[in-house]
Amino acid sequence: MFREFKKEVEKVLTKALKKASYAAAGEELELEESEHADISSRVAFSLARTHKQPPSVVAEEIVRHLELTETSADSKLILKAVAVGPYINFYANDFFLQKTLQRIKDEEGAKPAAAEKRRGKIIIEHTSANADGPLHIGHLRNAIIGDVLVRVLKRAGFAVETQYYVNDMGRQIGVAVWGAERLEVAADKKPDHAVADVYIAANKLLEAEKEAAAETVEAETVEAETEAEKSVGELMRKYEVGDEEVVRRYKAVVEKCLSGVRASLERLNIRHDLFVWESEFVRSGAVAEVLEELKRKGEVRFEGSAVLLKLEGIGKELVVQRSDGTSLYTARDLAYHRWKSERGDRVDRIIDVFGKDHELVSQQLAKALEILGVRVLPEFVLFEFVSLPSGSLSTRAGRYISVDELIEKIEERAYEEVSKRRRDLSEGKRREIARRVGVGALRYDIVKVSPEKHIVFDLENALDIEKKGAPFVQYSHARACSILRAATAAATARGSEASRLWLHEESEKELVKKLAKFESVVEAAASELRPHLVAKYARELAESFNLFYKDCPVLTAEKVEVREARLVLVECAKIVLSRVLEVLGVEAPEEM
RNA sequence: GGGCUCGUGGCUUAGCUUGGAUAAAGCACCGGCCUUCUAAGCCGGGGAUCGCGGGUUCGAAUCCCGCCGAGUCCGCCA
């Protein structure tokens, strides 16, 4: 509802500017949300300059020309406007509050599915970790930013398909497959962790062999490949051309790892619609086609058999084919993106969630796609790295904290917290709440930080279930549920039609106004692709609810009208709290 | 060396795209509030040269330039 209010303010203010003959100063109304008003305009500042009057005089003058009668079609939602120094402050009226609650209740019954496709289809790729081990906290950031974005975009009215790009052709996978032949893959471990063990051990073997070779051979020939490295290379070549036996072995390792990754994602409430293997594009001939087309349409240069592509505005050329003729990640990614843009009936946008280390790569990708004349160019959401206090992460070196380990620990900590507070609940119930609170806290903790910020992950900090994070919001939701339960039990009459609203307390009004902002927050997060905005709003909403909760008794309110009105408010608060949690991918427990 | 990003109370962050009302929160610290719908809550307090230096402006955390510090990328890895 906030957007409607804002539109009205724009309309009324524009009219007043015209009437006061300030209209010449451009269209900019300089509206902002403010702690001093529901919406505030700074337009008097800029007008003051062009009209050579003090800003406060201009503000007064504008306010004098505002038409805010109750009967005016333009100002149904505005209570008043006041000039405070240079600022013009607008306030919403009771009708706005009433409408807000009405809208929330109406939408709750309606099916969102019908509305979903109205803004077009988006394919979003996120997580896409290499199949050489479990997800760690670096991937976690990608996954959570991606997943919240998916939820934000769906809520904002897009049809969204989520893809996981399976990098099955890299050297890492070759090493893992090579290792799986010589070393035992533990059967009793979570599959992705078992693969990581083998991958790490295989790397050590390769390393050891290289060192051994370096000792026996003179310094000059250290470059030479060891036997082990040769067999890894052999594996990769055979996989590329589709050697059946090698493909079978690759598949076994990658699928194994992926099943573990999928399980971890599931625990985090993250699901992908489609897993796309990059090798598909090599075998289908799509990569070869892309290369041919680049040679025709682009400016390429050969260095031996290697193919280098010149890209506009980027100093370095992009290598799109190795000198040994095998394909390169970049070429496969081009094929993948072209396939996405041509997929299905109509794809309108393609979004990739990448780490900051892919920034240059993503620019190159976009340029090359442009050369190919691909219809839908990708948009990139880049996020900065996560590191540990001890340094950067590395799967190969075994230097990481796995997502599984993290979830275990945080759920355990959450269980302690629940147990402290709710001895009345059964063990099973406490476990269930701990699971929801733990995962929620983890997701919130990651998503609340804006993507361009570098994170040094502190385990102790993450485990210290932050009081104003997800649990805080969940707690508010549980409180609302608790009131509604009690109301039902006592058969308290629910506010019938919110015809006349009996909400007069400041904290009641503030809560409604906060509720009204849900859509505009989602919209902002969607258009800017900045999911952390939702996290901030969720916390503020919970804060507003808690203030109301403390100020205004619901069930014991003396007047029937007040009781009913507050019950409606609690119901709406519960609805929006659960919506915002849903968008954050955090579960909304009815009690905790 | 060059590109991009970040640098806000002891710690973690919001605000920066669109310059304006006392720089906003959480954690930690100090002090209050459970005979009323869950105290994972509420109220109050101390604590900030917004990395440093310059510039633009009536006005700069926000825009521009330089410097310092951290991260990351820079042709055959993904």
Side-chain angles (χ1 to χ4, degrees), chain A residues 415-438:
Chain A
Y415 180 72
E416 287 167 23
E417 294 294 324
V418 179
S419 298
K420 241 188 267 171
R421 294 160 228 267
R422 300 299 302 268
R423 285 175 219 270
D424 57 312
L425 294 178
S426 69
E427 152 98 21
K429 250 189 171 162
R430 290 195 305 228
R431 285 277 170 210
E432 178 58 15
I433 292 170
R435 188 187 64 74
R436 296 168 150 207
V437 169

PDB file of all heavy atoms in Angstrom, chain A residues 415-438:
ATOM      1  N   TYR A 415      19.483 -25.719  19.830  1.00  0.00           N
ATOM      2  CA  TYR A 415      18.808 -26.674  20.707  1.00  0.00           C
ATOM      3  C   TYR A 415      19.034 -26.320  22.178  1.00  0.00           C
ATOM      4  O   TYR A 415      18.116 -26.373  22.993  1.00  0.00           O
ATOM      5  CB  TYR A 415      19.298 -28.093  20.419  1.00  0.00           C
ATOM      6  CG  TYR A 415      18.631 -29.125  21.305  1.00  0.00           C
ATOM      7  CD1 TYR A 415      17.300 -29.476  21.109  1.00  0.00           C
ATOM      8  CD2 TYR A 415      19.339 -29.731  22.337  1.00  0.00           C
ATOM      9  CE1 TYR A 415      16.683 -30.395  21.926  1.00  0.00           C
ATOM     10  CE2 TYR A 415      18.729 -30.661  23.166  1.00  0.00           C
ATOM     11  CZ  TYR A 415      17.397 -30.987  22.964  1.00  0.00           C
ATOM     12  OH  TYR A 415      16.781 -31.893  23.780  1.00  0.00           O
ATOM     13  N   GLU A 416      20.250 -25.928  22.481  1.00  0.00           N
ATOM     14  CA  GLU A 416      20.540 -25.501  23.853  1.00  0.00           C
ATOM     15  C   GLU A 416      19.661 -24.320  24.245  1.00  0.00           C
ATOM     16  O   GLU A 416      19.125 -24.269  25.350  1.00  0.00           O
ATOM     17  CB  GLU A 416      22.005 -25.075  23.981  1.00  0.00           C
ATOM     18  CG  GLU A 416      22.994 -26.223  23.967  1.00  0.00           C
ATOM     19  CD  GLU A 416      24.422 -25.733  23.766  1.00  0.00           C
ATOM     20  OE1 GLU A 416      24.709 -24.552  24.071  1.00  0.00           O
ATOM     21  OE2 GLU A 416      25.254 -26.531  23.286  1.00  0.00           O
ATOM     22  N   GLU A 417      19.533 -23.381  23.310  1.00  0.00           N
ATOM     23  CA  GLU A 417      18.738 -22.186  23.591  1.00  0.00           C
ATOM     24  C   GLU A 417      17.266 -22.535  23.802  1.00  0.00           C
ATOM     25  O   GLU A 417      16.625 -22.041  24.721  1.00  0.00           O
ATOM     26  CB  GLU A 417      18.862 -21.186  22.422  1.00  0.00           C
ATOM     27  CG  GLU A 417      20.255 -20.608  22.236  1.00  0.00           C
ATOM     28  CD  GLU A 417      20.690 -19.733  23.412  1.00  0.00           C
ATOM     29  OE1 GLU A 417      19.834 -19.026  23.975  1.00  0.00           O
ATOM     30  OE2 GLU A 417      21.871 -19.773  23.782  1.00  0.00           O
ATOM     31  N   VAL A 418      16.743 -23.380  22.925  1.00  0.00           N
ATOM     32  CA  VAL A 418      15.336 -23.771  23.054  1.00  0.00           C
ATOM     33  C   VAL A 418      15.121 -24.475  24.379  1.00  0.00           C
ATOM     34  O   VAL A 418      14.156 -24.205  25.102  1.00  0.00           O
ATOM     35  CB  VAL A 418      14.900 -24.713  21.905  1.00  0.00           C
ATOM     36  CG1 VAL A 418      13.436 -25.111  22.075  1.00  0.00           C
ATOM     37  CG2 VAL A 418      15.107 -24.054  20.560  1.00  0.00           C
ATOM     38  N   SER A 419      16.043 -25.367  24.699  1.00  0.00           N
ATOM     39  CA  SER A 419      15.895 -26.159  25.920  1.00  0.00           C
ATOM     40  C   SER A 419      15.908 -25.290  27.175  1.00  0.00           C
ATOM     41  O   SER A 419      15.216 -25.562  28.140  1.00  0.00           O
ATOM     42  CB  SER A 419      17.006 -27.202  25.995  1.00  0.00           C
ATOM     43  OG  SER A 419      16.902 -28.079  24.899  1.00  0.00           O
ATOM     44  N   LYS A 420      16.725 -24.251  27.109  1.00  0.00           N
ATOM     45  CA  LYS A 420      16.791 -23.323  28.230  1.00  0.00           C
ATOM     46  C   LYS A 420      15.424 -22.698  28.492  1.00  0.00           C
ATOM     47  O   LYS A 420      15.025 -22.488  29.621  1.00  0.00           O
ATOM     48  CB  LYS A 420      17.783 -22.202  27.881  1.00  0.00           C
ATOM     49  CG  LYS A 420      18.970 -22.100  28.826  1.00  0.00           C
ATOM     50  CD  LYS A 420      19.774 -20.857  28.519  1.00  0.00           C
ATOM     51  CE  LYS A 420      20.910 -21.155  27.544  1.00  0.00           C
ATOM     52  NZ  LYS A 420      21.576 -19.937  27.064  1.00  0.00           N
ATOM     53  N   ARG A 421      14.734 -22.384  27.394  1.00  0.00           N
ATOM     54  CA  ARG A 421      13.489 -21.620  27.519  1.00  0.00           C
ATOM     55  C   ARG A 421      12.233 -22.465  27.599  1.00  0.00           C
ATOM     56  O   ARG A 421      11.239 -22.063  28.185  1.00  0.00           O
ATOM     57  CB  ARG A 421      13.338 -20.673  26.321  1.00  0.00           C
ATOM     58  CG  ARG A 421      14.385 -19.602  26.289  1.00  0.00           C
ATOM     59  CD  ARG A 421      14.508 -19.014  24.902  1.00  0.00           C
ATOM     60  NE  ARG A 421      15.901 -18.955  24.512  1.00  0.00           N
ATOM     61  CZ  ARG A 421      16.669 -17.883  24.701  1.00  0.00           C
ATOM     62  NH1 ARG A 421      16.183 -16.797  25.212  1.00  0.00           N
ATOM     63  NH2 ARG A 421      17.934 -17.914  24.358  1.00  0.00           N
ATOM     64  N   ARG A 422      12.281 -23.609  26.933  1.00  0.00           N
ATOM     65  CA  ARG A 422      11.056 -24.399  26.834  1.00  0.00           C
ATOM     66  C   ARG A 422      11.230 -25.819  27.353  1.00  0.00           C
ATOM     67  O   ARG A 422      11.234 -26.784  26.588  1.00  0.00           O
ATOM     68  CB  ARG A 422      10.590 -24.419  25.361  1.00  0.00           C
ATOM     69  CG  ARG A 422      10.295 -23.053  24.771  1.00  0.00           C
ATOM     70  CD  ARG A 422       9.186 -22.322  25.503  1.00  0.00           C
ATOM     71  NE  ARG A 422       7.942 -23.052  25.516  1.00  0.00           N
ATOM     72  CZ  ARG A 422       6.985 -22.922  24.601  1.00  0.00           C
ATOM     73  NH1 ARG A 422       7.140 -22.085  23.611  1.00  0.00           N
ATOM     74  NH2 ARG A 422       5.879 -23.630  24.689  1.00  0.00           N
ATOM     75  N   ARG A 423      11.352 -25.929  28.657  1.00  0.00           N
ATOM     76  CA  ARG A 423      11.452 -27.264  29.232  1.00  0.00           C
ATOM     77  C   ARG A 423      10.123 -27.995  29.126  1.00  0.00           C
ATOM     78  O   ARG A 423      10.046 -29.203  29.283  1.00  0.00           O
ATOM     79  CB  ARG A 423      11.841 -27.164  30.708  1.00  0.00           C
ATOM     80  CG  ARG A 423      13.300 -26.809  30.901  1.00  0.00           C
ATOM     81  CD  ARG A 423      13.606 -26.589  32.387  1.00  0.00           C
ATOM     82  NE  ARG A 423      14.521 -25.477  32.564  1.00  0.00           N
ATOM     83  CZ  ARG A 423      15.851 -25.601  32.579  1.00  0.00           C
ATOM     84  NH1 ARG A 423      16.399 -26.774  32.451  1.00  0.00           N
ATOM     85  NH2 ARG A 423      16.626 -24.550  32.723  1.00  0.00           N
ATOM     86  N   ASP A 424       9.071 -27.237  28.881  1.00  0.00           N
ATOM     87  CA  ASP A 424       7.740 -27.842  28.804  1.00  0.00           C
ATOM     88  C   ASP A 424       7.538 -28.648  27.519  1.00  0.00           C
ATOM     89  O   ASP A 424       6.658 -29.496  27.443  1.00  0.00           O
ATOM     90  CB  ASP A 424       6.671 -26.746  28.892  1.00  0.00           C
ATOM     91  CG  ASP A 424       6.833 -25.692  27.799  1.00  0.00           C
ATOM     92  OD1 ASP A 424       7.973 -25.215  27.605  1.00  0.00           O
ATOM     93  OD2 ASP A 424       5.837 -25.349  27.147  1.00  0.00           O
ATOM     94  N   LEU A 425       8.368 -28.385  26.522  1.00  0.00           N
ATOM     95  CA  LEU A 425       8.164 -29.077  25.240  1.00  0.00           C
ATOM     96  C   LEU A 425       8.904 -30.412  25.189  1.00  0.00           C
ATOM     97  O   LEU A 425       9.918 -30.606  25.856  1.00  0.00           O
ATOM     98  CB  LEU A 425       8.661 -28.196  24.088  1.00  0.00           C
ATOM     99  CG  LEU A 425       7.891 -26.892  23.845  1.00  0.00           C
ATOM    100  CD1 LEU A 425       8.537 -26.119  22.713  1.00  0.00           C
ATOM    101  CD2 LEU A 425       6.424 -27.166  23.541  1.00  0.00           C
ATOM    102  N   SER A 426       8.396 -31.291  24.367  1.00  0.00           N
ATOM    103  CA  SER A 426       9.038 -32.591  24.203  1.00  0.00           C
ATOM    104  C   SER A 426      10.367 -32.437  23.473  1.00  0.00           C
ATOM    105  O   SER A 426      10.588 -31.454  22.769  1.00  0.00           O
ATOM    106  CB  SER A 426       8.124 -33.511  23.395  1.00  0.00           C
ATOM    107  OG  SER A 426       8.053 -33.046  22.056  1.00  0.00           O
ATOM    108  N   GLU A 427      11.209 -33.417  23.636  1.00  0.00           N
ATOM    109  CA  GLU A 427      12.508 -33.439  22.957  1.00  0.00           C
ATOM    110  C   GLU A 427      12.343 -33.247  21.449  1.00  0.00           C
ATOM    111  O   GLU A 427      13.024 -32.439  20.832  1.00  0.00           O
ATOM    112  CB  GLU A 427      13.172 -34.790  23.263  1.00  0.00           C
ATOM    113  CG  GLU A 427      14.134 -35.308  22.202  1.00  0.00           C
ATOM    114  CD  GLU A 427      15.580 -34.995  22.549  1.00  0.00           C
ATOM    115  OE1 GLU A 427      15.846 -34.751  23.734  1.00  0.00           O
ATOM    116  OE2 GLU A 427      16.419 -34.998  21.628  1.00  0.00           O
ATOM    117  N   GLY A 428      11.399 -33.987  20.873  1.00  0.00           N
ATOM    118  CA  GLY A 428      11.174 -33.913  19.422  1.00  0.00           C
ATOM    119  C   GLY A 428      10.804 -32.514  18.985  1.00  0.00           C
ATOM    120  O   GLY A 428      11.313 -32.008  17.987  1.00  0.00           O
ATOM    121  N   LYS A 429       9.939 -31.899  19.742  1.00  0.00           N
ATOM    122  CA  LYS A 429       9.489 -30.551  19.385  1.00  0.00           C
ATOM    123  C   LYS A 429      10.624 -29.558  19.484  1.00  0.00           C
ATOM    124  O   LYS A 429      10.783 -28.674  18.643  1.00  0.00           O
ATOM    125  CB  LYS A 429       8.342 -30.126  20.290  1.00  0.00           C
ATOM    126  CG  LYS A 429       7.043 -30.068  19.524  1.00  0.00           C
ATOM    127  CD  LYS A 429       5.933 -29.445  20.309  1.00  0.00           C
ATOM    128  CE  LYS A 429       4.752 -29.245  19.355  1.00  0.00           C
ATOM    129  NZ  LYS A 429       3.497 -29.039  20.035  1.00  0.00           N
ATOM    130  N   ARG A 430      11.416 -29.729  20.535  1.00  0.00           N
ATOM    131  CA  ARG A 430      12.558 -28.820  20.711  1.00  0.00           C
ATOM    132  C   ARG A 430      13.555 -28.976  19.576  1.00  0.00           C
ATOM    133  O   ARG A 430      14.109 -28.009  19.084  1.00  0.00           O
ATOM    134  CB  ARG A 430      13.234 -29.077  22.059  1.00  0.00           C
ATOM    135  CG  ARG A 430      12.378 -28.627  23.230  1.00  0.00           C
ATOM    136  CD  ARG A 430      13.167 -28.548  24.507  1.00  0.00           C
ATOM    137  NE  ARG A 430      13.828 -29.810  24.807  1.00  0.00           N
ATOM    138  CZ  ARG A 430      13.810 -30.413  25.989  1.00  0.00           C
ATOM    139  NH1 ARG A 430      13.152 -29.869  26.997  1.00  0.00           N
ATOM    140  NH2 ARG A 430      14.456 -31.535  26.184  1.00  0.00           N
ATOM    141  N   ARG A 431      13.769 -30.210  19.157  1.00  0.00           N
ATOM    142  CA  ARG A 431      14.681 -30.456  18.022  1.00  0.00           C
ATOM    143  C   ARG A 431      14.167 -29.764  16.764  1.00  0.00           C
ATOM    144  O   ARG A 431      14.917 -29.165  16.003  1.00  0.00           O
ATOM    145  CB  ARG A 431      14.795 -31.961  17.752  1.00  0.00           C
ATOM    146  CG  ARG A 431      15.628 -32.717  18.747  1.00  0.00           C
ATOM    147  CD  ARG A 431      17.105 -32.622  18.426  1.00  0.00           C
ATOM    148  NE  ARG A 431      17.896 -33.149  19.532  1.00  0.00           N
ATOM    149  CZ  ARG A 431      19.110 -32.739  19.851  1.00  0.00           C
ATOM    150  NH1 ARG A 431      19.690 -31.776  19.147  1.00  0.00           N
ATOM    151  NH2 ARG A 431      19.760 -33.266  20.858  1.00  0.00           N
ATOM    152  N   GLU A 432      12.872 -29.899  16.557  1.00  0.00           N
ATOM    153  CA  GLU A 432      12.273 -29.320  15.361  1.00  0.00           C
ATOM    154  C   GLU A 432      12.413 -27.798  15.363  1.00  0.00           C
ATOM    155  O   GLU A 432      12.796 -27.188  14.358  1.00  0.00           O
ATOM    156  CB  GLU A 432      10.789 -29.733  15.282  1.00  0.00           C
ATOM    157  CG  GLU A 432      10.015 -29.157  14.111  1.00  0.00           C
ATOM    158  CD  GLU A 432      10.603 -29.516  12.755  1.00  0.00           C
ATOM    159  OE1 GLU A 432      11.439 -30.445  12.685  1.00  0.00           O
ATOM    160  OE2 GLU A 432      10.250 -28.853  11.765  1.00  0.00           O
ATOM    161  N   ILE A 433      12.130 -27.190  16.500  1.00  0.00           N
ATOM    162  CA  ILE A 433      12.268 -25.735  16.595  1.00  0.00           C
ATOM    163  C   ILE A 433      13.733 -25.338  16.409  1.00  0.00           C
ATOM    164  O   ILE A 433      14.049 -24.381  15.699  1.00  0.00           O
ATOM    165  CB  ILE A 433      11.740 -25.219  17.951  1.00  0.00           C
ATOM    166  CG1 ILE A 433      10.219 -25.411  18.012  1.00  0.00           C
ATOM    167  CG2 ILE A 433      12.097 -23.759  18.146  1.00  0.00           C
ATOM    168  CD1 ILE A 433       9.612 -25.165  19.381  1.00  0.00           C
ATOM    169  N   ALA A 434      14.627 -26.103  17.018  1.00  0.00           N
ATOM    170  CA  ALA A 434      16.058 -25.806  16.907  1.00  0.00           C
ATOM    171  C   ALA A 434      16.504 -25.853  15.453  1.00  0.00           C
ATOM    172  O   ALA A 434      17.306 -25.043  15.004  1.00  0.00           O
ATOM    173  CB  ALA A 434      16.868 -26.791  17.737  1.00  0.00           C
ATOM    174  N   ARG A 435      15.979 -26.821  14.702  1.00  0.00           N
ATOM    175  CA  ARG A 435      16.339 -26.935  13.298  1.00  0.00           C
ATOM    176  C   ARG A 435      15.922 -25.678  12.547  1.00  0.00           C
ATOM    177  O   ARG A 435      16.701 -25.080  11.800  1.00  0.00           O
ATOM    178  CB  ARG A 435      15.660 -28.160  12.677  1.00  0.00           C
ATOM    179  CG  ARG A 435      16.100 -28.484  11.274  1.00  0.00           C
ATOM    180  CD  ARG A 435      15.273 -29.603  10.669  1.00  0.00           C
ATOM    181  NE  ARG A 435      13.868 -29.242  10.511  1.00  0.00           N
ATOM    182  CZ  ARG A 435      13.394 -28.414   9.587  1.00  0.00           C
ATOM    183  NH1 ARG A 435      14.216 -27.861   8.732  1.00  0.00           N
ATOM    184  NH2 ARG A 435      12.104 -28.121   9.534  1.00  0.00           N
ATOM    185  N   ARG A 436      14.673 -25.264  12.785  1.00  0.00           N
ATOM    186  CA  ARG A 436      14.163 -24.094  12.069  1.00  0.00           C
ATOM    187  C   ARG A 436      14.894 -22.826  12.471  1.00  0.00           C
ATOM    188  O   ARG A 436      15.210 -21.980  11.634  1.00  0.00           O
ATOM    189  CB  ARG A 436      12.678 -23.932  12.357  1.00  0.00           C
ATOM    190  CG  ARG A 436      11.870 -25.083  11.825  1.00  0.00           C
ATOM    191  CD  ARG A 436      10.468 -25.044  12.375  1.00  0.00           C
ATOM    192  NE  ARG A 436       9.539 -25.617  11.434  1.00  0.00           N
ATOM    193  CZ  ARG A 436       8.252 -25.281  11.364  1.00  0.00           C
ATOM    194  NH1 ARG A 436       7.757 -24.396  12.191  1.00  0.00           N
ATOM    195  NH2 ARG A 436       7.479 -25.840  10.466  1.00  0.00           N
ATOM    196  N   VAL A 437      15.144 -22.690  13.739  1.00  0.00           N
ATOM    197  CA  VAL A 437      15.810 -21.490  14.236  1.00  0.00           C
ATOM    198  C   VAL A 437      17.275 -21.475  13.791  1.00  0.00           C
ATOM    199  O   VAL A 437      17.796 -20.452  13.357  1.00  0.00           O
ATOM    200  CB  VAL A 437      15.722 -21.413  15.773  1.00  0.00           C
ATOM    201  CG1 VAL A 437      16.641 -20.333  16.313  1.00  0.00           C
ATOM    202  CG2 VAL A 437      14.288 -21.138  16.198  1.00  0.00           C
ATOM    203  N   GLY A 438      17.925 -22.625  13.868  1.00  0.00           N
ATOM    204  CA  GLY A 438      19.339 -22.707  13.508  1.00  0.00           C
ATOM    205  C   GLY A 438      19.574 -22.349  12.058  1.00  0.00           C
ATOM    206  O   GLY A 438      20.379 -21.473  11.735  1.00  0.00           O
TER     207      GLY A 438
END
